């Protein structure tokens, strides 16, 4: 049975890289009818951020990613917080020490620093001198109470091969691995050591994680071998880079799942976009549900070249989701934004109608809310370029008034009747229909773009439309609204 895990360190918020790793593990497990495990790697106590674990769990769940075992849901292989598994790590360190695969190192930081400098001055790569490796077993220092770390006795020759399911065979020379530390002087195991025990004890079959961990893998394989444990399969996911091939940072758009939510990106769109960061469907379909992706997902279609993160494409995808999802769901997502914008929904048209009208043009929930606003509050500002173009004629206030007069008499307030009024008025005044439409739109919405005018007036309602037209006509006449040409 396939068992995979996502093992975040609770040191911050859930970022796109982590979310992508979790997603690929989740899909791989689903595809193979296996289990997906969440394990919190909280060994580095100094870097722990309170609330981070809860935040990550919330973030993953918001994306529709769920797990079969984890600190919050339990399972047969717990505990699922690494700090609670320390006794196992200590047992294994002892085993390695007893069998001579690891040794205690008493070198002081100062000694190590000096050695490093010496090698640097000789233009040699830094490595541990092996001083304590060479101590005879009866060296009195082993009986002392001096602080020590535990180091792995890495073979000085040969190579360790990672047969990566995505990248193929990657060969590491043991020489460069150095006698790395497996237990710190405070008695805590290091990540590279604990992870081996945890993956083994949780019966993990495939370790799927970011490429930044590839250089850790030979060290982990050496530990598996020294402990005579079966080595799992490894798959390292491609890096995620910005379009300019640099590390993704704030300046390329949001990077944490929470920020995307705050910007009004739908979780459906985000998770769909993450899917494409290094994987593609057999038929290159881009928009798909998680169910569909789980059916298709396999590591064979994960690329090994870097995945390019393109915020514009994410926003585009978001707009596609906003257009096609049910209005009810979209409203549910939009409500917190509407509330934050303090729009009073008790006055004005039904949200379902206004959302339906503006969603075509919105890219994010923030956009959507902004585009809805004029239905619920009169515009306080008017697009200045628009004013220069559409309010500048002396005739404007009179034209708006005539329209208001006629519209106030309409008996049937719908698209077609509205269109007829504009057609007739344009003809009567000998002007183009656009010369009435543009000023009306600006007067009523404050903007020069938006949904079709007659659709939007139909939804805004007769009374409100007429009132706004009179108001703006007066404001122009009284020079409270002054277009600067
Ligand atoms: N805690 C590690 C990280 O957050 C996990 C690495 C692994 O998956 O082995 O990067």
């Amino acid at each position: 049975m396939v068992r995979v895990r996502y093992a975040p360190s609770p040191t911050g918020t859930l970022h796109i890289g982590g979310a992508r790793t979790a997603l690929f593990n989740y899909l791989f497990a689903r595809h193979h009818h296996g289990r997906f495990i969440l394990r919190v790697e909280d060994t580095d106590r100094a870097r722990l951020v309170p609330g981070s674990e809860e935040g990550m769990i919330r973030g993953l769940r918001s994306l529709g990613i769920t797990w079969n075992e984890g600190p919050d849901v339990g399972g047969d292989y717990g505990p699922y917080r690494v700090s609670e598994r320390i006794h196992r790590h200590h047992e294994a360190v002892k085993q390695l020490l007893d069998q001579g695969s690891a040794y205690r190192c008493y070198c002081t930081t100062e000694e190590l620093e000096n050695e490093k400098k010496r090698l640097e001055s000789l233009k040699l790569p830094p490595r541990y001198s092996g001083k304590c490796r060479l101590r005879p077993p009866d060296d009195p220092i082993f009986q002392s109470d001096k602080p020590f770390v535990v180091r792995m006795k890495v073979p000085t020759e040969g190579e360790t091969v990672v047969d990566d399911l995505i990248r193929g065979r990657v060969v590491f020379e043991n020489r460069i691995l150095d006698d790395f530390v497996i237990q710190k002087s405070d008695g805590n195991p290091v990540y590279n050591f604990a992870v081996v025990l945890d993956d083994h004890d949780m019966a993990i079959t495939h370790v799927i994680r970011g490429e930044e961990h590839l250089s850790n893998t030979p060290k982990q394989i050496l530990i598996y071998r020294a402990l005579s444990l079966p080595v799992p399969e490894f798959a390292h996911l491609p890096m995620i880079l910005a379009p300019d091939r640099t590390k993704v940072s704030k300046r390329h758009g949001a990077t944490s799942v929470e920020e995307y939510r705050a910007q009004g990106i739908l979780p459906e769109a985000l998770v769909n976009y993450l899917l494409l960061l290094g994987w593609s469907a057999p038929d290159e379909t881009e928009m798909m549900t998680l169910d569909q992706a789980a059916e298709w997902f396999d590591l064979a279609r994960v690329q090994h070249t870097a995945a390019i993160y393109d915020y514009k494409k994410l926003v585009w995808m978001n707009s596609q989701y906003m257009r096609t999802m049910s209005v009810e769901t979209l409203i549910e997502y939009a409500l917190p934004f509407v509330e934050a914008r303090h729009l009073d929904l008790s006055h004005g048209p039904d949200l379902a109608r206004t959302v339906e009208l503006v969603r075509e043009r919105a890219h994010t929930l923030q956009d959507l809310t902004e585009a809805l606003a004029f239905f619920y509050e009169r515009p306080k500002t008017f697009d200045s370029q628009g004013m220069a173009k559409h309010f500048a004629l002396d005739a404007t206030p009179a034209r708006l008034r005539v329209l208001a007069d006629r519209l106030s008499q309409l008996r049937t307030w719908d698209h077609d009747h509205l269109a007829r009024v504009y057609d007739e008025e344009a003809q009567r005044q000998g002007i183009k229909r656009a010369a009435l439409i543009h000023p009306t739109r600006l007067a009523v919405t404050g903007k020069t773009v938006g949904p079709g005018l007659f659709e939007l007036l139909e939804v805004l309602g007769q009374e409100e439309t007429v009132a706004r037209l009179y108001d703006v006509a007066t404001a122009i006449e009284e020079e409270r609204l002054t277009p600067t040409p």
Side-chain angles (χ1 to χ4, degrees):
M1 148 112 92
V2 160
R3 290 178 56 86
V4 292
R5 80 323 188 258
Y6 170 54
S9 308
T11 53
T13 53
L14 180 63
H15 277 242
I16 42 167
R20 196 259 324 241
T21 300
L23 175 64
F24 283 22
N25 274 285
Y26 162 81
L27 293 173
F28 185 76
R30 278 192 64 184
H31 183 80
H32 292 283
H33 307 288
R35 310 265 295 170
F36 174 44
I37 290 114
L38 177 70
R39 183 174 72 222
V40 175
E41 300 213 317
D42 58 348
T43 37
D44 196 346
R45 310 304 290 179
R47 291 180 56 222
L48 284 194
V49 172
S52 166
E53 177 183 322
E54 293 77 6
M56 288 190 174
I57 288 181
R58 257 199 322 274
L60 292 169
R61 289 207 186 283
S62 75
L63 296 176
I65 299 173
T66 54
W67 39 96
N68 308 101
E69 300 167 29
D72 56 336
V73 294
D76 292 340
Y77 294 77
Y80 294 94
R81 272 186 209 98
V82 173
S83 58
E84 294 164 28
R85 308 178 66 86
I86 294 273
H87 64 283
R88 257 303 271 154
H89 309 137
H90 285 156
E91 261 170 43
V93 169
K94 185 168 179 310
Q95 182 188 335
L96 291 180
L97 284 170
D98 289 349
Q99 72 187 40
S101 310
Y103 59 93
R104 294 191 175 90
C105 170
Y106 292 87
C107 293
T108 60
T109 320
E110 199 188 346
E111 272 177 276
L112 296 173
E113 273 304 311
N114 288 340
E115 179 65 9
K116 200 169 137 198
K117 280 193 197 127
R118 194 180 70 82
L119 291 172
E120 259 168 22
S121 68
L122 295 170
K123 305 240 180 306
L124 289 170
R127 60 183 275 117
Y128 176 58
S129 67
K131 181 175 169 191
C132 292
R133 178 173 174 152
L134 299 171
R135 286 184 199 275
D138 57 359
D139 189 319
I141 200 160
F142 291 125
Q143 306 303 326
S144 74
D145 54 7
K146 288 208 171 92
F148 62 87
V149 299
V150 179
R151 287 183 185 271
M152 199 63 193
K153 213 180 257 180
V154 175
T156 47
E157 294 174 348
E159 25 184 66
T160 300
V161 175
V162 180
D163 270 315
D164 190 89
L165 292 173
I166 295 166
R167 321 181 64 83
R169 200 177 137 88
V170 189
V171 179
F172 293 86
E173 282 186 58
N174 291 334
R175 209 165 37 83
I176 59 158
L177 297 180
D178 211 3
D179 283 357
F180 58 91
V181 173
I182 57 174
Q183 181 178 291
K184 293 183 261 186
S185 57
D186 62 5
N188 276 320
V190 303
Y191 152 73
N192 264 326
F193 187 72
V195 72
V196 169
L197 270 301
D198 299 336
D199 282 340
H200 172 264
D201 292 352
M202 292 185 179
I204 299 302
T205 55
H206 297 73
V207 172
I208 305 172
R209 61 187 170 200
E211 189 186 311
E212 68 277 13
H213 286 291
L214 182 60
S215 59
N216 287 323
T217 307
K219 296 181 183 173
Q220 295 172 16
I221 290 177
L222 285 172
I223 298 168
Y224 278 105
R225 297 228 176 98
L227 291 167
S228 306
L229 301 176
V231 182
E233 300 279 3
F234 290 100
H236 290 90
L237 305 175
M239 272 197 286
I240 302 175
L241 295 181
D244 60 2
R245 305 225 138 228
T246 59
K247 205 167 160 267
V248 178
S249 65
K250 285 238 186 281
R251 100 197 131 81
H252 305 107
T255 56
S256 87
V257 169
E258 242 161 80
E259 279 174 279
Y260 290 113
R261 193 186 46 75
Q263 288 181 1
I265 301 284
L266 299 164
E268 284 90 338
L270 179 56
V271 82
N272 192 153
Y273 181 69
L274 290 177
L275 199 56
L276 305 179
L277 286 178
W279 178 81
S280 54
D283 64 356
E284 307 281 328
T285 301
E286 290 198 320
M287 307 254 304
M288 70 195 101
T289 61
L290 285 186
D291 288 343
Q292 179 62 77
E295 199 176 299
W296 278 333
F297 190 87
D298 217 346
L299 293 174
R301 293 195 59 84
V302 175
Q303 70 197 47
H304 56 262
T305 52
I308 303 298
Y309 164 83
D310 181 355
Y311 186 66
K312 283 203 208 90
K313 174 138 185 193
L314 167 62
V315 170
W316 171 81
M317 191 162 264
N318 197 54
S319 69
Q320 299 302 308
Y321 271 90
M322 294 204 350
R323 264 177 220 192
T324 48
M325 74 196 329
S326 78
V327 170
E328 292 75 30
T329 316
L330 184 54
I331 287 178
E332 235 171 81
Y333 281 128
L335 272 179
F337 290 84
V338 170
E339 271 158 29
R341 178 73 174 65
H342 302 297
L343 292 182
D344 179 3
L345 299 179
S346 61
H347 296 90
D350 196 16
L351 200 53
R353 295 183 76 196
T354 57
V355 165
E356 191 64 86
L357 259 192
V358 302
R359 66 157 141 182
E360 285 284 318
R361 289 167 168 269
H363 289 94
T364 64
L365 294 169
Q366 269 182 356
D367 275 4
L368 182 85
T369 308
E370 231 10 84
L372 288 175
F374 74 81
F375 284 110
Y376 303 98
E377 59 186 25
R378 295 197 175 166
K380 292 183 197 78
T381 55
F382 295 80
D383 183 278
S384 58
Q385 280 182 4
M387 286 211 287
K389 251 189 176 157
H390 308 304
F391 285 176
L393 286 184
D394 289 343
T396 305
R399 283 184 186 171
L400 294 177
R401 274 186 195 290
V402 170
L403 286 169
D405 290 345
R406 290 213 46 186
L407 293 178
S408 66
Q409 283 154 28
L410 259 190
R411 291 189 172 209
T412 312
W413 188 260
D414 68 10
H415 174 282
D416 292 353
H417 287 80
L418 283 159
R420 199 173 310 147
V421 169
Y422 278 75
D423 284 337
E424 287 171 8
E425 259 321 299
Q427 215 168 24
R428 199 181 62 78
Q429 299 183 35
I431 54 177
K432 289 201 179 115
R433 194 169 83 155
L436 296 175
I437 287 182
H438 293 312
T440 305
R441 174 191 299 287
L442 186 59
V444 167
T445 70
K447 297 184 186 120
T448 54
V449 287
L453 182 70
F454 307 130
E455 283 91 346
L456 88 81
L457 294 185
E458 184 181 322
V459 173
L460 183 64
Q462 186 167 24
E463 203 183 315
E464 187 61 22
T465 301
V466 169
R468 288 188 191 187
L469 288 175
Y470 282 135
D471 266 8
V472 170
T474 311
I476 298 175
E477 283 159 357
E478 293 176 355
E479 291 179 6
R480 281 183 283 120
L481 268 184
T482 43
T484 38

